[in-house]
Every structure is written in structure tokens, then in C-alpha cells.
Amino acid sequence: MDSYISPVELENAYRLINHGPTVLISAAHRGVENVMAAAWACALDFSPPRLTVVLDKTSRTRELVEGSSRFAIQVPTAAQLQLTRDLGTTSLVTEPCKLVDSGVELFYIDGYEAPFVAGCSAWLACEVIVEPHNQKTYDLFIAEVTGAWADRRVFQDGHWNFENAEPQWRSLHYIAGGQFYAIGEPLRAQAKESATAGA
Ligand SMILES: Cc1cc2nc3c(=O)[nH]c(=O)nc-3n(C[C@H](O)[C@H](O)[C@H](O)COP(=O)(O)O)c2cc1C
């Protein structure tokens, strides 16, 4: 594991995807590893931290997630733009060499089953909370976050620090047809006395 990767308290894990980035979802089952891009990933709860992802039935990654009940979410960087696009436009179903061709580098963290993608800015280990109706009808998977890490060059003390990191660390935000935005400038709103903590 890269020495810049630092653990993130689980109570702050939601912050790794609270800004709505496009993510990479990785999973492994019975010796098969895979990664796909996903724009539809969302924080769901603080404690325990939970999130949702939409995994289409055609994706091979979904099969691995259903088989292992584990997956990892990672936040790719602007430097990984092409990698993110490639992992989202090729399928292991039709392209057995998808991972090699994309050049993606995977690593493992002791105690976690799913592979993680190197070079990202944040990683969340997830365990599926099995909800067959949601999965079958809406392709919607709910998961609990069981581990979280971030690269301290861009996430420190529980907060993103995009404004002071190199531009290649910015997160990607997908529209359609290969068009992404990198996260923009920080804007800080004033807190009201009645505001809830952390909001
Ligand atoms: C930027 C981007 C975002 C995507 N978001 C999602 C998503 O949220 N859910 C989904 O099921 N597919 C999404 N896709 C499509 C999958 O990544 C794509 O079907 C991929 O080829 C699946 O790979 P696999 O079959 O090897 O698992 C997205 C694709 C791109 C390029």
C-alpha cells in the first residue's frame, strides 16, 4: 500500500463521496477481478456509514459483487480521466483483457476481500446489505462501509483539500458521452447558529 494512503475515521467516510464524484467500483470473486466506472454512487448514512450504488445487470462487476458481497469504491483523479472512461466503456463480458488493456493497477489491503485501484484519492471498502428487491428491480445496492482511506496529499484531517493540491488530484464528475468536469473552486457558506453539526 502506498505510504501516502492514510486511514479515514469511519464517521468521516461519507465525506469521501459527499461531493458527488464519479467513482470506480472494484470487486473480486473466485479468482476473477474487475473494475467499472460508476456515476451513480451516493452516501446514505453516517453511522454506521452506508452508501448506495447502481450496478446494471449487464455489468460483470455486478456478478462479482453479488458473488462475494464485497466491493470497493474509489475516487479517481483528473490524472485518471482516460482510465475511468476506459473502465466504463469496456466490459469484462466481451473483453477478457479489459484490466490489462486499461493499465489499471490493483492492490489489496489485509482483511479486505475486494481489490483496490492504485493512484486514486480515496478508497472505501464496502459490504453489501442484501436487499434482493432493490437489487433486482432497481439495480440498487446498499452497502455498509467497513474501511476508508484517503491520500493525505489531497484529504487531510477529515476534509478534502483540492484547493491546495496539484490539479491532477481533482475528482471527476461525469455528464455523458465522455464529458467530465473536474471539481472546481471552493465556496464557503456561513454557518447559522441553528445548523446541525457536520452539515
Ligand atoms: C463515467 C461513467 C459512469 C458510469 N456509471 C455507471 C453507473 O453508475 N452504474 C452502472 O451500472 N454503469 C455505469 N457505467 C457503465 C459501466 O461502467 C460499464 O457498463 C462497464 O463497461 C461495466 O464493466 P464490466 O461489465 O466489466 O463490469 C458508467 C460508465 C461511465 C463511462
Side-chain angles (χ1 to χ4, degrees):
M1 185 157 96
D2 192 310
S3 63
Y4 287 108
I5 300 176
S6 303
V8 172
E9 298 78 14
L10 282 183
E11 68 198 48
N12 288 334
Y14 76 94
R15 295 182 184 176
L16 300 176
I17 55 168
N18 214 33
H19 60 303
T22 296
V23 300
L24 297 175
I25 299 183
S26 51
H29 186 53
R30 294 192 174 142
V32 179
E33 301 171 315
N34 200 17
V35 188
M36 64 176 260
W40 293 354
C42 189
L44 177 67
D45 209 342
F46 294 110
S47 183
R50 296 193 183 109
L51 52 77
T52 63
V53 291
V54 172
L55 299 174
D56 192 80
K57 290 178 189 63
T58 59
S59 71
R60 187 72 205 282
T61 307
R62 173 178 171 148
E63 253 181 73
L64 305 180
V65 169
E66 288 182 317
S68 63
S69 289
R70 306 280 190 283
F71 62 93
I73 284 196
Q74 35 262 306
V75 180
T77 68
Q80 294 172 309
L81 171 68
Q82 196 57 48
L83 176 70
T84 303
R85 165 87 165 149
D86 292 348
L87 291 170
T89 51
T90 53
S91 175
L92 200 63
V93 175
T94 50
E95 301 188 40
C97 297
K98 165 181 175 169
L99 295 191
V100 173
D101 291 349
S102 73
V104 68
E105 191 190 324
L106 302 179
F107 67 97
Y108 283 84
I109 297 177
D110 277 351
Y112 297 90
E113 207 175 307
F116 297 87
V117 176
C120 293
S121 58
W123 299 263
L124 299 125
C126 302
E127 283 187 25
V128 176
I129 299 168
V130 179
E131 294 280 359
H133 174 73
N134 289 344
Q135 292 169 206
K136 189 165 171 239
T137 311
Y138 304 110
D139 298 330
L140 179 73
F141 288 71
I142 299 175
E144 182 165 331
V145 178
T146 56
W149 303 262
D151 192 300
R152 61 175 179 270
R153 287 170 289 188
V154 63
F155 188 93
Q156 299 119 19
D157 303 323
H159 292 279
W160 286 108
N161 190 14
F162 291 112
E163 58 270 43
N164 294 311
E166 295 294 320
Q168 74 262 19
W169 284 104
R170 288 190 287 165
S171 54
L172 298 166
H173 303 261
Y174 189 52
I175 307 300
Q179 189 196 6
F180 293 77
Y181 285 89
I183 197 162
E185 73 215 65
L187 304 170
R188 188 170 295 276
Q190 296 297 319
K192 280 194 169 177
E193 274 176 26
S194 58
T196 51

